[in-house]
Amino acid sequence: MNSTSNEPVITSYAQAPAKTITAGGVTYAYRELGPKGGIPVVFFVHLAATLDNWDPRIIDPIAAHRHVITFDQRGVGASSGTVPSTLEAVADDAYAFITALGYDTIDVFSFSMGGMIAQDLVIKHPNLVRRLILTGTGPRGGKDMDKVVRTTYGDIVRATLTRSDPKEFLFFNRDTAGKRAGKAFVQRLSERAVDRDAAIGTKAFQTQLKAIQRFGRSAPSDLSRITQPTLIANGDNDRMVPSVLSEDLHRRIAGSELVIYPNSGHGGIFQYHEQFAPTAVEFLTR
């Protein structure tokens, strides 16, 4: 999979072909775009998310320069199997998927729960990851991270009552700027008109929530073992994974870079995509 190809280069996530690969008895659904060859950037997605939940305003600028791979975790979307009960097991699945594609070195872009999984992956397989981006996330055992269950269900109810997408509440502030950014983000997620993914099932969603809660209540990981160049980003008012946990990651991962966007929440990188996407591209192309 590391060789270059004569196929036309696709740099629009809306047009990325849907593919599958089987590893360890699980068939993983994935999409890839951008120029082939070199080290790919593998994207680790958030709670309840499928292939259709990545913001094209983040993916497309990176794919203009790098080979990008997104995938459905086991038991989610078009991937087979059952969602694991721990994030460590999800990290093991990710390793199986990546190695099945033939890669022994990758860069990682992660958001929220994906960042928790990415931390477990890097600690267990330190030679696999060259560069690491952690956004809207926090460390194992992080303070108040286990409250994500209450926050999530509360915002789902609020969204239902207002006939809105829950991500508008979970990811964005409820001021004028946040509401506008939330609606724009949700609208961008629908730009792919064909070959869309299946939504996550209720049982799978509940299993993921419990796994995050278990992660939040676990003993802290030794983040000094993460020696890869690391970029950490968040909004200054993250209600799902408190913004102070991004600062905690920054303190504990030596040499890491931290970007905090003002007047924004869990989805700060999506609200400020015009500023963040170039920052991510520059970091990944060093």
Side-chain angles (χ1 to χ4, degrees):
M1 297 293 293
N2 290 332
S3 61
T4 57
S5 171
N6 292 324
E7 297 175 3
V9 176
I10 296 171
T11 57
S12 168
Y13 193 53
Q15 299 172 9
K19 300 183 177 183
T20 60
I21 192 168
T22 300
V26 178
T27 298
Y28 294 94
Y30 70 102
R31 296 175 187 164
E32 58 182 343
L33 65 161
K36 296 286 185 71
I39 298 171
V41 184
V42 181
F43 279 61
F44 287 65
V45 79
H46 62 84
L47 168 71
T50 70
L51 292 168
D52 290 331
N53 287 103
W54 281 115
D55 190 343
R57 298 303 180 274
I58 300 294
I59 293 259
D60 292 0
I62 294 175
H65 303 271
R66 297 287 302 280
H67 182 196
V68 166
I69 299 171
T70 64
F71 70 105
D72 276 335
Q73 297 153 5
R74 172 159 51 114
V76 177
S79 290
S80 69
T82 303
V83 173
S85 60
T86 68
L87 297 188
E88 299 103 310
V90 182
D92 290 340
D93 288 341
Y95 181 77
F97 165 73
I98 291 160
T99 54
L101 287 176
Y103 295 108
D104 55 17
T105 306
I106 64 169
D107 287 343
V108 167
F109 186 110
S110 64
F111 174 60
S112 193
M113 183 185 74
M116 303 169 202
I117 298 164
Q119 291 171 60
D120 281 351
L121 177 72
V122 172
I123 288 172
K124 192 168 185 177
H125 303 282
N127 295 326
L128 177 67
V129 178
R130 185 192 69 127
R131 286 185 171 268
L132 176 63
I133 296 180
L134 301 170
T135 67
T137 195
R140 180 176 290 279
K143 186 177 185 299
D144 292 334
M145 190 182 293
D146 60 345
K147 295 180 181 177
V148 66
V149 175
R150 184 177 64 194
T151 301
T152 299
Y153 281 127
D155 279 358
I156 288 174
V157 171
R158 293 169 69 198
T160 301
L161 292 174
T162 58
R163 297 181 180 180
S164 304
D165 189 303
K167 290 184 285 295
E168 294 182 39
F169 288 84
L170 289 165
F171 289 9
F172 301 92
N173 291 342
R174 299 306 293 164
D175 59 5
T176 300
K179 289 179 180 179
R180 183 170 58 245
K183 291 188 180 303
F185 170 72
V186 170
Q187 187 172 18
R188 294 197 298 271
L189 297 185
S190 65
E191 288 181 359
R192 184 184 181 94
V194 297
D195 199 17
R196 291 183 63 84
D197 206 354
I200 191 171
T202 300
K203 185 176 180 180
F205 168 65
Q206 292 172 340
T207 302
Q208 285 187 340
L209 264 180
K210 289 178 182 177
I212 293 174
Q213 188 177 58
R214 185 175 290 113
F215 182 93
R217 292 174 177 172
S218 297
S221 299
D222 180 7
L223 297 184
S224 69
R225 295 168 59 188
I226 298 180
T227 58
Q228 291 84 351
T230 301
L231 172 64
I232 301 164
N234 205 347
D236 65 353
N237 185 39
D238 188 339
R239 295 172 50 253
M240 288 196 75
V241 184
S243 302
V244 293
L245 296 180
S246 292
E247 298 170 3
D248 187 19
L249 286 172
H250 176 50
R251 284 192 299 269
R252 293 166 60 187
I253 300 176
S256 60
E257 303 171 36
L258 177 65
V259 179
I260 299 293
Y261 291 102
N263 190 33
S264 58
H266 190 57
I269 65 167
F270 308 126
Q271 182 168 338
Y272 285 88
H273 63 86
E274 292 180 349
Q275 291 89 347
F276 176 70
T279 298
V281 168
E282 190 277 329
F283 176 79
L284 289 167
T285 52
R286 287 180 197 167

